[in-house]
Amino acid sequence: MSCNTEQTETHRYCAEVANELESRWQAKWAADDLNSVGNPGDEGFDVSKPKFYCLDMFPYPSGAGLHVGHPVGYIGSDIISRFKRMQGFNVLHPMGWDAFGLPAEQYAIETGVHPATTTRKAIDTFRGQLQRIGFSYDWSREFATIDPEYYKWTQWIWLKAYDAWFDPKAKKAKPIATLVDGLHTGEICSEDGNWDEMSEAKKTSYINNHRLAYLGEQVVNWCPKLGTVLANEEVIDGLSERGGFPVVRRPLRQWMFRITAFADRLLEDLEGLDWPQSTLRMQAEWIGRSEGADVDFAIIDSDDSLCVYTTRPDTLFGVTFVVLAPEHPLIKTLIASPPDGCDSTALKAYATEAKNRADVDRMADAKGKSGVFSGLYATNPATGNAIPIWIADYVLMGYGHGAIMAVPAHDSRDHAFAKAHNIPIVKVVEPNKNEKVADCFSGPGVAVNSSSDLLSIDGLTTAEAQQKTIRWLEENKLGSAKTNYRLRDWLFSRQRYWGEPFPIVFDSEGNHYPVGEAALPVVLPNLDNYTPVESKDPTPLLGKATDWLHTTAGEAGVDPDILPPDTPVTREANTMPGWAGSCWYEVRYCSSNCDTRFVDSEAEQYWMGNGIDLYIGGAEHAVLHLLYARFWHKMLFDLGEVSCNEPFQKLFHQGLLTSFAFQRANKSLVPTDKVSQQGEAFIETDTGKELERVIAKMSKSLKNVVNPDDVIAEYGADTLRLYEMYMGPLEASAPWNTRDIVGVHRFLQRVWRLCSDEHTGEMHASLQEPQDEHVERALHATIAKVTEDIPKLAYNTAIASMIEFVNSATSSGMVTADQLDRFVRLLAPFAPHITQEIYSKLGQQGYIADAQWPTFDPEQLVADSLELPVQIMGKVRGRVTVPAGASNEDVEKAAIEDPAICALLEGLVIRKVIIVPNKIINIVAN
RNA sequence: GCCGAAGUGGCGGAAUUGGCAGACGCGCCGGAUUCAAAAUCCGGUUCCCGUUAAGGGAGUAUGGGUUCGAGUCCCAUCUUCGGUACCA
């Protein structure tokens, strides 16, 4: 791509020219703080202007640096940010770093270098790469989640949650003091008896059990290899999401978030968000609200009863057995004193095995439906029949009550179990007519065989039967309506090193006390050795920092009114998970440098009003990050700390950038550097065998990663930006194809040539000539198209229309300076550097980023005459030209009288003529 | 298994509410320029038939349907990708 070899075309736009002018302008923009936006109250900040907060999901800076897939979304957000700014918005467009978390720590363990060092280095690399692409980020707002000035406030927010409870009546979070007050005045009734008569210890425990951030004993996913517990969301098929190591389940005391209290609001508030449908659905399914009933089953020959949850109370008459999860508390009793018919040895073996089995094994025989009979029977409350109680691992302890009523005729899992263990199957729902039915019908229908002395629901539809059954259950104190959620409380402790420490300490009796605000941040201590403690028992890594760990209440900053300063205390040795920092970063950007509060209120109200206007990021965060961040935001909103209920008003997922990869006949993949092309065929260098070219993710192992630095060196950043946006729709994934880049590069060359002479570098004299009407019309059409496409993020078609304009303007050879000026403004959001250069060459002062967005005249879009296709029986047979605004009669006349059409119509009878104004004419004739 | 999205030339992809399928780019073919090449510029490029041309036919995963007219709407099937996995 060298352009200096040829004397005559020294001034052609090429890599050297692009790189020179791009670096020059970037330096100038940085020196002038072009992209610093300021806040309300700052000098020169015009609050009357509308705001546009456009946020990218901040990256996790890895040692490998950026590849070309990373900037796709960033370019997309940069274009609309620049566009909005030119339209007169105050635009907030920040960037920062999500820098705590497992990958950095794993990398540090491998290299032996402290994660702070490697992470800071990775951040510098990322920043440098991003800056070279020419984004309009306000870098003055940059921060990393590992900055103590930032995680101070992460800890502060956690303390807010620690110091809050969820009022179920008001359906909102409130300070914990309101709970204490309410209990004291009797406004709130404690389930544990009269508040004022409770012991101090009991009161404390009650309060602790109502905090939004609470210490809970949970069966956790412990990963011995990673040396940490993981959230349910971080475990996939029984293996850790990161690393793919086995995960076992064991009980542990951990910090939890009461996210389930917000389940309803997290679900309901999805409505009204401008998000991709698929993501809304995924969130809703993750929350998994279901409506049904709790039903009590009395155990025969016992005073105990069993509570089960069902979504199909209408099938109560079809319950032929009850199943308990292997972890169900009743099983301990069973093993201790086994009833007749109970093989306690088998039961014990089954329960123990199921408990210790990783979920992956448990699921491996999902179809198998193993189980043991308990020896006990329960009474079906509707029929009075005795039904057996079984223990089986297809019932999970973590959902409902860890026990189910089994309806084998109408639930496929119960059906499989009943078949395997010879349990009767009783049909109680008749499908609606004309409905295809498998041997186990689980849809709604009409109740049958559902009558007894106690209750009758025969003939009722499923919905009616459910209502009647629930009413009956409630009247007879046998159960009640119940709503359940799949969502569980959020496990928030990790045993790893590289995370935010919890601002909390324990006394010798294990009571916990918050660190006072003045003592924040609780700084992560330095460790010489952060290799995880690989063990059967969870052991936090910070336990090794003994000097830090053992301290006094005063030293730690605990309020002396709560605990005397000289009390020896132990710090919490767990750290927060990688998600913590990204739960509120969008708020911090409003005033990144504020050191008196987690965010400046005025700035927050201005920028976050109605939420972030556009949030762009990968679909892989559809559930976890977005759910967690919404939860934190709602908590802060309830507590009056932020001004809106939902942080992300509009969400957009950019597509995945894929790359070519090469596959052997056995589907194994070959690294790209071991492949050579011979004609149409791709050959593996080592074996000489032919390979198939397929599309795959970019990955180091496949050696199909493309580095943006290389692309910029060869074509310039403007070309990279244009190419990535021109590949296809922003939301679609597309394969990177180096060969195609030259297309948009040529486009920029033509833009350059439109302005100046390639031989002399001088501006074209013709720029002064009178304007060409066709070029002017084409320009208006292009302005209209681009203005319409950018808000839709339809950048590929916007670029196509600009290419069309340049092509037609080039061939006409008649472009004025004024037209060129308007055109480069149009192109500026996409290619900010070359357009800035031309803008300046045209004699404009200042920066194109601050220029006004060009406007178009709708009248210029209307042509004088139209060429319309004429169809006969739906096939295009000719075309006629009619003046714009011609009446339907005139158009029909023109079509029928057209000689070519006339000839084809010979011998046919015209039945009908359909005219779609300005579109088409169709003649129905036979 | 269930849920969701998608399937258009050699390739990436265009195509308001049903209205000229293949915009734009790549690649390829031809031409100009050049001693030559690269670069650039101009023209062509869905497939099939037609020596060329005029012209004709087929065509948006597959098979049906609705309509004057279907890439777009309806039904069934296939394939790919994403999510989810005993949630009672």
Side-chain angles (χ1 to χ4, degrees), chain A residues 11-12 60:
Chain A
H11 300 278
R12 172 172 297 165
Y60 189 97

Side-chain angles (χ1 to χ4, degrees), chain A residues 3 34 39 144 268 380 410 412 420 540 553 665 674 714 786 799 832 912:
Chain A
C3 52
L34 174 65
N39 272 346
E268 284 158 14
N380 181 322
H410 304 290
S412 61
K674 301 271 185 212
E714 203 173 338
V786 175
I799 295 168
K912 203 170 163 188

Side-chain angles (χ1 to χ4, degrees), chain A residues 231-254:
Chain A
N232 288 330
E233 295 86 328
E234 291 169 313
V235 182
I236 292 165
D237 293 346
L239 301 173
S240 61
E241 184 192 21
R242 197 165 292 286
F245 303 117
V247 171
V248 296
R249 308 180 67 219
R250 54 175 303 140
L252 193 70
R253 264 168 84 75
Q254 301 282 289

Side-chain angles (χ1 to χ4, degrees), chain A residues 314 428 445-448 456-466 468-469:
Chain A
D314 61 302
V428 291
V446 176
V448 293
S456 174
I457 53 172
D458 275 336
L460 297 183
T461 65
T462 294
E464 292 163 351
Q466 286 177 354
K468 187 168 177 189
T469 306

Side-chain angles (χ1 to χ4, degrees), chain A residues 295-530:
Chain A
V295 185
D296 286 323
F297 283 73
I299 301 173
I300 294 175
D301 294 333
S302 158
D303 297 333
D304 289 335
S305 72
L306 268 176
C307 187
V308 306
Y309 172 73
T310 179
T311 53
R312 292 297 298 272
D314 61 302
T315 60
L316 194 52
F317 286 87
V319 178
T320 54
F321 59 106
V322 171
V323 189
L324 306 181
E327 299 91 344
H328 196 280
L330 190 69
I331 290 170
K332 264 186 199 159
T333 333
L334 271 176
I335 293 169
S337 53
D340 294 343
C342 170
D343 182 346
S344 68
T345 338
L347 181 61
K348 199 172 171 180
Y350 186 79
T352 322
E353 200 199 346
K355 227 184 277 184
N356 291 341
R357 271 162 102 192
D359 280 355
V360 69
D361 301 328
R362 219 157 134 166
M363 266 161 21
D365 51 23
K367 300 279 180 293
K369 295 283 179 286
S370 65
V372 288
F373 175 50
S374 70
L376 291 176
Y377 290 85
T379 308
N380 181 322
T383 63
N385 295 341
I387 53 172
I389 300 176
W390 285 73
I391 322 291
D393 65 4
Y394 83 91
V395 174
L396 307 176
M397 193 58 222
Y399 186 76
H401 306 282
I404 61 152
M405 57 177 233
V407 187
H410 304 290
D411 181 285
S412 61
R413 298 152 300 179
D414 299 343
H415 186 87
F417 192 84
K419 283 258 175 182
H421 300 278
N422 285 320
I423 302 170
I425 298 169
V426 178
K427 178 178 165 180
V428 291
V429 181
E430 187 67 49
N432 297 316
K433 277 170 268 166
N434 308 327
E435 205 168 333
K436 267 194 267 170
V437 176
D439 46 328
C440 169
F441 172 69
S442 56
V446 176
V448 293
N449 299 325
S450 299
S451 236
S452 71
D453 302 344
L454 305 160
L455 169 70
S456 174
I457 53 172
D458 275 336
L460 297 183
T461 65
T462 294
E464 292 163 351
Q466 286 177 354
Q467 279 179 17
K468 187 168 177 189
T469 306
I470 290 172
R471 224 179 306 131
W472 176 78
L473 286 168
E474 286 176 344
E475 280 162 9
N476 293 279
K477 303 229 176 327
L478 291 165
S480 57
K482 177 76 185 282
T483 301
N484 245 326
Y485 301 89
R486 203 188 86 122
L487 184 72
R488 319 279 166 84
D489 272 350
W490 176 16
L491 173 68
F492 201 66
S493 299
R494 297 295 184 275
Q495 286 67 48
R496 296 300 292 261
Y497 169 66
W498 195 231
E500 298 87 345
F502 284 89
I504 200 140
V505 298
F506 297 88
D507 66 14
S508 56
E509 274 144 42
N511 300 307
H512 43 81
Y513 306 90
V515 169
E517 194 179 324
L520 297 182
V522 177
V523 178
L524 184 65
N526 234 325
L527 271 191
D528 294 333
N529 179 2
Y530 25 82

Side-chain angles (χ1 to χ4, degrees), chain A residues 124-139:
Chain A
D124 288 342
T125 308
F126 265 59
R127 188 195 303 104
Q129 286 183 296
L130 290 180
Q131 286 179 336
R132 184 58 193 85
I133 300 172
F135 293 125
S136 60
Y137 293 126
D138 178 354
W139 287 106

